[in-house]
Amino acid sequence: MINETIELKEGIKFHKIQTNKFKTNLLAIFLTMPLTKENVTKNALLAAVLRRGTKNMQTQEIISQNLEEMYGAGFDCGIEKNGDNQTIKLYLETINDEFLPEKEELLKKSFQIIFEIAFNPLIENGKFKTEYVQGEKENLKQIIEGKIDNKGSYAMERCIEEMYKNKAYGLYKYGYIEALDKITEEELYNHYKEVIKTCKIDIYASGMLPQNILEMVKENESIQKLQERKVQINEEPKQLIEQEKIIEEKMEVTQGKLVLGLDVDSNIENISYITMCYNTILGGGANSKMFQNVREKASLAYTVGSNYLKRKQNIIIRAGIEIQNYEKALEIIKQQLDDMKNGKFTQEDLNNAKNLIIATIENIPEEQDTQISYYFGQELANTNISTEEYKEKIQKVSKEQIVEVANSVKMNTIYFLRN
Amino acid sequence: MKLVESTRIKEKAYIEKLNNGLTVIIIPKENTQKKYVIWGTHFGSIDNRFIMPKTNEEVFVPDGVAHFLEHKMFEQENGRNSLDVLMSLGVDANAYTTNNHTAYLFETTNNFYEALDELMDYVQNPYFTDENVEKEKGIIAQEIGMYDDDPGWQLYMNALDCMYKENAIKIDIAGTVESINKIDKDVLYKCYNTFYNPSNMTLVVCGDFKPEEIMQEIKNRIVEKEKQGEIERIYPKDEKGINKKYKETSMPVSKPIFLIGFKDENTNKDKVKKHIAIEILMNMLVGKSSPLYQKMYDEGLLLAPLDMDYEFTNNYAHVMLTGQSKEPKKVQEELLKQIQNLKQNMDNKYFERIKKKVYGDYVVEYNNVADIARMFLSDYFKGINSFDYIEQYNTVTEEYTTEILNEIFDEKNMVMSVVNIK
């Protein structure tokens, strides 16, 4: 596997991942901008409108036909929150030319199509097509309203919102209905022009790529039209709260959802690798403290575990519990946090955690989209760590380091969704 | 070892039937770190009546036994749980039960042989006690309760009820609370001894292996058992025609969900070729660029294309088109219209375009060791070599596809199941 990054113009990079593990080539375009209350909804709507039609493929039907003609190329377009940034992501997956029944230049065509969707949308009278914008506003509204359908992810979303009140990271990636109602076709198009002029652009290609791939990208008209730009990754300073917040929300649920948001407050070297091990021992899988103590021993939860938000240095603990067991569950969870602080875990626990993390790292090059996401994460963090180095860093984590991190962990918010 | 290959996508598989009757399929993938192994027995929820080859005794078992067995296999003597052991090796392990098979699997980049030791050990050494069987009943009852609350599952079961009066596929995979209560350790051992005999099992590995080496490793881990003959399975007789046209129920869903099914009564005719033609037809009728989807999307009646599936074994076969709409009946009417249009005019350009798309779908399956191994296992139990989908692709003509269209997509074979908003 070879990874190479070429700066096409300032702020616009092409990343090449040469790999022979797959039958497909995967192309991706990521448009990254600061996450702000003002633009979050517009960006989410933009991602939806772009896939409706382009100058040369005016309807969704024509786009679909083109994709089918390319042996069922898979196209996907969505929105993501990356720390204090928002990214519009476009993907196109096609079969590698080597495995086609007849010779065709699929890769070249793939670039044309994905660039066309991102950079050459359908414009009528100086704005996006009214019908498309209105239709997608309706769909996005359903997505935002549907946030409450999945109670587990809703509770997690709410906890993060409370932890980051009035801050970028507390925003919902699909935006807000109040803002959505006000967006006009014209405004959205003006916003789009601004995005294309200023956002950070990363183009990824993964697969068995030909020699002339860079030319394919450089020669593309849409790419040539893009101008250089100064880009910066948005990163708000972390503020620790003085006293933990306790939030209760009521909804018609049979199962209560308990979510605990914690801050990791340490500047120890290699903090993210150490915290990763800490998190895995605490709530990473079936062998973790949470799973063993909250679920297996106390039978308090159906689902329980913890996540590590690397970009914001937070641990989020989640448990689905009977509502009347709130106190008991909280007590046991806090006990686990204390045990971590006091070093009450074995070398075997640490080894199991390392095995689990290393298995995840080894999986990175085995899936094209996972690999692209990994490199994009490095790009945003401005680091360049190979998966081999990553594994070594995990291997080196010691019990003492974990205890040190454990003692820096502070409760930020306790959120409970109940009836 | 017998070699089968697909030159078009440059993949090979080695197949061998061992002396004890076990079939082993090895699919080497040179450039991948990930290794996947899946061990399946040809025993699923539909196998509730059979003749034990050793004793010639005819046995009826309660519904849900295959699934119950799957749950109990991980548990070993002294409270040891094989799933935990595999997890601590950094291995992603699991098991599942379908209508016609049960499978145990893991995926890993490391500790492959340690994990293989554990997998082959627990699958060959059951440990059932009155106590641990009793304990499991509560857990499975919870799982059944979860299915009862699942609108998608109810939709599917009701569609099957429309298509079949009396077919074993109607048996719920997990059984019912009543049926699982009849399960005891003796029933489990009876089923285990019959269906977990190597001659009824197939093991598939996919990853960067040298075929001879991995074959030897597998052989080294086999516990010798007496080879047994074919198991005679007794199923209800094939029935002609559908059971009923329509069935509906109400559950908490945000919009009605529906399933339109077409029963296929010729279950044994050129399976692969027919399957390819049906994939093409389903895409032409309800896929992303289909006239039906465009029209329904514009009218706000569909937000996403329908999910399409052709489910088949020797005992049943049906097309299932599933979606969500505020007016399922209108979607059904439009579908019938589109079927008529297609019967009168099989648009050549459209056909060729969708045929290409279907080819791409097959090739993408070979991106991932897990998909490859699972596909080979489930196809093997249907008597199919998975490469045939790629190899026979070109034999599917417009004429043949029209023939299949007329045969299967007929109003008299059609049923509909709907889950309305409660």
Side-chain angles (χ1 to χ4, degrees), chain B residues 163-164 240-242 245 260-282 285 309-313 316-321 335-336 338-340 342-343 346 396 399-415:
Chain B
M163 281 188 273
Y164 304 96
K240 290 284 163 212
I242 58 167
K245 288 228 76 102
I260 302 170
F262 292 90
K263 185 173 171 181
D264 171 12
E265 285 173 354
N266 288 318
T267 49
N268 281 315
K269 211 174 81 185
D270 21 283
K271 292 178 203 164
V272 171
K273 195 175 168 186
K274 182 162 82 175
H275 191 180
I276 300 170
I278 289 174
E279 286 289 344
I280 295 172
L281 288 166
M282 292 191 297
L285 289 168
D309 190 23
Y310 176 60
E311 193 175 46
F312 67 102
T313 67
Y316 51 83
H318 42 253
V319 167
M320 290 182 150
L321 308 172
L335 176 65
L336 282 171
Q338 295 298 339
I339 290 171
Q340 278 318 311
L342 205 59
K343 280 180 181 171
M346 176 66 76
V396 178
E399 291 70 39
Y400 176 74
T401 305
T402 310
E403 227 175 83
I404 297 297
L405 173 69
N406 285 315
E407 184 185 314
I408 295 169
F409 291 85
D410 190 314
E411 206 177 334
K412 73 172 196 309
N413 306 329
M414 183 178 71
V415 302

Side-chain angles (χ1 to χ4, degrees), chain B residues 210-322:
Chain B
K210 291 205 174 66
E212 294 78 16
E213 268 177 42
I214 178 71
M215 184 62 83
Q216 195 52 51
E217 293 285 351
I218 291 167
K219 285 181 183 166
N220 292 345
R221 287 167 176 78
I222 282 177
V223 176
E224 278 314 318
K225 281 182 191 167
E226 200 187 324
K227 197 177 166 180
Q228 76 175 11
E230 232 3 78
I231 305 160
E232 196 184 321
R233 301 153 202 256
I234 303 160
Y235 301 115
K237 273 210 183 77
D238 287 348
E239 48 189 35
K240 290 284 163 212
I242 58 167
N243 184 26
K244 55 185 142 202
K245 288 228 76 102
Y246 183 78
K247 189 166 176 179
E248 66 177 9
T249 180
S250 298
M251 292 176 81
V253 285
S254 61
K255 231 186 289 173
I257 54 174
F258 65 91
L259 191 161
I260 302 170
F262 292 90
K263 185 173 171 181
D264 171 12
E265 285 173 354
N266 288 318
T267 49
N268 281 315
K269 211 174 81 185
D270 21 283
K271 292 178 203 164
V272 171
K273 195 175 168 186
K274 182 162 82 175
H275 191 180
I276 300 170
I278 289 174
E279 286 289 344
I280 295 172
L281 288 166
M282 292 191 297
N283 274 282
M284 289 180 83
L285 289 168
V286 299
K288 234 175 171 173
S289 74
S290 65
L292 175 135
Y293 178 57
Q294 292 308 321
K295 190 170 176 225
M296 299 282 106
Y297 186 90
D298 288 342
E299 289 176 20
L301 291 178
L302 285 178
L303 273 181
L306 304 188
D307 286 336
M308 19 190 157
D309 190 23
Y310 176 60
E311 193 175 46
F312 67 102
T313 67
N314 289 340
N315 305 94
Y316 51 83
H318 42 253
V319 167
M320 290 182 150
L321 308 172
T322 313

Side-chain angles (χ1 to χ4, degrees), chain A residues 23-24 68 99 362-363 366, chain B residues 11 32 34 109 289 367:
Chain A
K23 301 280 181 222
T24 47
E68 285 167 355
F99 306 111
E362 285 180 332
N363 190 46
E366 302 293 317
Chain B
E11 297 288 355
T32 167
K34 209 190 267 183
T109 45
S289 74
N367 254 357

Side-chain angles (χ1 to χ4, degrees), chain B residues 164-181:
Chain B
Y164 304 96
K165 274 187 211 76
E166 225 190 315
N167 188 302
I169 196 183
K170 290 177 76 171
I171 300 169
D172 228 312
I173 289 176
T176 62
V177 175
E178 202 192 344
S179 75
I180 61 162
N181 268 322

